[in-house]
Amino acid sequence: MASAARTLAKTGKRWLHLGHRWLGIVTGLFFTTWFVSGVVMMYVAYPSLTEPERRAGLPAIAWDAVRVSPDAALADEPGFPRALSLSMRGAEPVYRVARWDGSRRAVSAVDGRAIGPASPDEALAIAGHDPRSLRPAYRDTLAYDLWTVHQRYDAVRPLHRIALGDADGTELYVSQPTGAVVLDTTAHERFWNWFGAVPHWLYVAPLRAQAALWRTVIVWVSGIAMVGAVTGFVLGLLRMRMRIARRYRSGAVTPYRGLARWHHLGGLIGGLALLSFIVSGWLSMNPNRWFSSSSPSQAMLERYADAPGARTGLDRAAIRQRACTDAAEVRFTWLGGAPLAVIACRDGREIACCGTAPVAPDRLDASARRLVPEARSMTTSRLEREDFYWTSHHRARRLPVLRVVFDDPAATWFHIDPETGEILNRLDRSGRVERWGFDLLHTLDLGILLRHRPAWDGVMLLLLAAGSVIAGSGVAMGWRRLRRPAAGSRPA
């Protein structure tokens, strides 16, 4: 019986060793690429259009030309729109309407006509309003490229690409259907992302354009890599002999020499870090759709707005009177049946007007209760500073903010801007698990480290260096192993 158990254990260890070896050969380059590109991603983000950049490129609203009311712009809409805003499109004020099916349309605020696609010349003029624009030049019109391949741009394709002619090599992408700037990139971002996000996320444009296929590839590659990391860590523990009496003949705690020794000891020291990076990266793809969206559903927003017919009844003169002199945009929404206009100024301020106490605490509380009607109770707290679930590490967060907590089966939270009444995000139990499983493990998104930024950099670089040693030594050993038959050497 004991002999059979020893044989089984020996066979299991042999298969564990073989499995790790060949999984490492298959995934080793992915491991190495992930760690090296992760260092780049610490300092150069994937291109995106930030809210300050977008707002800075909008001309101040020409109020004298605004003759059409927001209700007239919604005349052809069957119900509550996903979004309605007023801003400039070149020299003309326009209402932009976003529907729940993803489609969008623009209506002139001058005469109410539907505005067609933006021509290259119009896109060039729109880009010229950006403060970085020096010598704007039209580049091309495209369906997608490496920087616009994400499905978030599907509703605004095709895109005009305009070079601003500035020292940073900035390029703007202007939506042909809407005439809105949707992305900017700089030469610095474009160069470094070839060594950062592109290899890290396998962002090959033809593959990424097929979102379902790309997601499947990432889930399987990272899943296989995860198995390789687990087998390596288990094998490393089995081969380690810490007790002096059980040391190997050489007196060492490891039986390996050379690269293999580096791989073994590095794997034990940094193996948990490597495994946490791989597991959290796999979780970021939301396998099996375990994690809910952070956006409220259409039904939630409709209950919160309580706006049957979706008409504002707001007076244009009243909005103009409350507006800042450099007002770049007005967002129209509803809160508990009351219309609300949120005026966005270029300096970052936002002014809510012009209904009857639209963001009074009692109205906001009553509206929030309709978000999750099946909940048994609701509690509200005011956050004056960031915490683990509301942090600006990856995106700017507004403060103060209201956190509304529901006692429903999903344990749903909402974060709401107390000044404008806008819902900023939804976070249920699965979303909070994802926060621990991805943000904490993958990016060390901890306040104590982020508040002392050199500490965060140091810890991240140390962990990524450990992972690079493990992956790099594994790739080198795998290459040697693959070359053996070709060189006529006897297998180990």
Side-chain angles (χ1 to χ4, degrees):
M1 191 64 132
S3 176
R6 283 195 298 270
T7 301
L8 184 62
K10 186 175 181 180
T11 301
K13 189 181 295 185
R14 172 67 175 166
W15 280 106
L16 186 67
H17 192 107
L18 289 172
H20 177 65
R21 173 192 293 169
W22 292 105
L23 284 172
I25 288 173
V26 170
T27 62
L29 284 176
F30 287 110
F31 274 111
T32 306
T33 301
W34 284 332
F35 287 113
V36 174
S37 59
V39 175
V40 177
M41 292 181 69
M42 287 174 60
Y43 303 104
V44 184
Y46 192 74
S48 65
L49 183 70
T50 66
E51 181 60 19
E53 289 171 338
R54 186 189 74 85
R55 196 174 293 182
L58 292 173
I61 294 174
W63 291 103
D64 290 339
V66 179
R67 301 184 182 91
V68 174
S69 69
D71 288 350
L74 289 174
D76 295 334
E77 295 299 314
F80 178 70
R82 182 165 190 166
L84 172 66
S85 64
L86 170 67
S87 60
M88 300 297 289
R89 175 165 159 173
E92 182 177 13
V94 299
Y95 290 101
R96 290 187 167 91
V97 183
R99 300 187 178 106
W100 289 101
D101 62 3
S103 63
R104 304 180 186 214
R105 69 186 186 96
V107 178
S108 171
V110 177
D111 55 21
R113 75 185 189 283
I115 301 178
S119 66
D121 288 340
E122 186 182 359
L124 196 60
I126 291 168
H129 290 287
D130 192 288
R132 297 166 291 183
S133 181
L134 293 179
R135 296 176 299 278
Y138 172 77
R139 285 284 188 259
D140 52 13
T141 299
L142 47 86
Y144 67 85
D145 63 5
L146 184 60
W147 317 118
T148 58
V149 71
H150 195 280
Q151 57 268 25
R152 74 169 64 94
Y153 300 106
D154 287 349
V156 296
R157 306 184 196 278
L159 304 164
H160 298 299
R161 186 165 62 104
I162 310 293
L164 297 186
D166 61 335
D168 292 332
T170 306
E171 293 182 349
L172 297 186
Y173 291 78
V174 180
S175 167
Q176 186 185 79
T178 69
V181 176
V182 296
L183 177 67
D184 68 344
T185 70
T186 64
H188 180 264
E189 290 173 332
R190 295 190 296 272
F191 175 80
W192 282 108
N193 268 280
W194 281 102
F195 305 96
V198 171
H200 198 84
W201 297 337
L202 299 186
Y203 248 51
V204 182
L207 172 62
R208 183 60 185 87
Q210 304 180 62
L213 175 61
W214 171 79
R215 181 180 176 277
T216 300
V217 169
I218 294 293
V219 167
W220 277 97
V221 169
S222 56
I224 293 171
M226 187 166 57
V227 174
V230 170
T231 57
F233 191 70
V234 172
L235 189 62
L237 290 175
L238 291 175
R239 299 292 280 168
M240 194 74 171
R241 294 184 181 179
M242 296 297 295
R243 291 173 55 189
I244 295 178
R246 296 187 66 252
R247 296 265 175 99
Y248 290 96
R249 191 179 307 170
S250 64
V253 297
T254 174
Y256 303 111
R257 291 177 295 176
L259 270 178
R261 179 188 290 264
W262 279 96
H263 189 71
H264 184 203
L265 296 179
L268 288 174
I269 295 171
L272 286 179
L274 180 147
L275 188 57
S276 70
F277 281 132
I278 301 300
V279 171
S280 56
W282 179 72
L283 288 175
S284 73
M285 300 309 298
N286 197 5
N288 205 35
R289 306 296 181 185
W290 288 329
F291 309 121
S292 302
S293 170
S294 61
S295 298
S297 67
Q298 178 180 353
M300 289 176 176
L301 290 176
E302 288 182 340
R303 288 195 298 267
Y304 184 72
D306 189 23
R311 298 297 178 259
T312 68
L314 292 173
D315 180 30
R316 301 190 306 280
I319 297 173
R320 180 178 182 178
Q321 186 177 8
R322 291 289 306 277
C324 42
T325 56
D326 60 348
E329 185 178 53
V330 181
R331 301 190 303 274
F332 298 95
T333 183
W334 295 262
L335 177 63
L340 178 66
V342 180
I343 304 166
C345 309
R346 286 193 181 185
D347 61 6
R349 288 181 301 138
E350 294 195 334
I351 303 169
C353 76
C354 295
T356 304
V359 287
D362 57 342
R363 182 181 293 278
L364 200 154
D365 184 79
S367 299
R369 289 183 183 279
R370 286 193 288 269
L371 283 167
V372 188
E374 67 274 18
R376 293 186 294 270
S377 64
M378 181 191 87
T379 58
T380 302
S381 59
R382 184 182 177 96
L383 302 183
E384 298 290 346
R385 63 178 185 175
E386 298 177 1
D387 65 6
F388 182 68
Y389 296 105
W390 189 253
T391 175
S392 295
H393 186 199
H394 300 290
R395 62 185 67 84
R397 296 293 196 187
R398 301 185 200 178
L399 284 172
V401 68
L402 298 180
R403 174 174 291 162
V404 182
V405 178
F406 288 94
D407 183 18
D408 64 313
T412 308
W413 296 3
F414 290 90
H415 290 99
I416 300 176
D417 188 328
E419 301 299 324
T420 67
E422 293 173 297
I423 299 175
L424 304 179
N425 84 339
R426 175 181 63 153
L427 194 65
D428 63 8
R429 184 182 292 107
S430 70
R432 295 191 291 279
V433 170
E434 184 182 21
R435 175 89 177 114
W436 285 89
F438 174 71
D439 294 288
L440 179 61
L441 294 181
H442 208 73
T443 63
L444 292 187
D445 204 347
L446 277 174
I448 190 171
L449 290 177
L450 296 174
R451 286 191 295 271
H452 304 85
R453 180 59 194 267
W456 179 84
D457 293 69
V459 174
M460 283 293 293
L461 290 172
L462 181 64
L463 295 177
L464 290 171
S468 299
V469 169
I470 301 169
S473 58
V475 167
M477 290 191 299
W479 177 247
R480 288 180 180 178
R481 183 66 181 81
L482 290 175
R483 290 186 62 193
R484 280 184 185 176
S489 301
R490 290 173 55 192

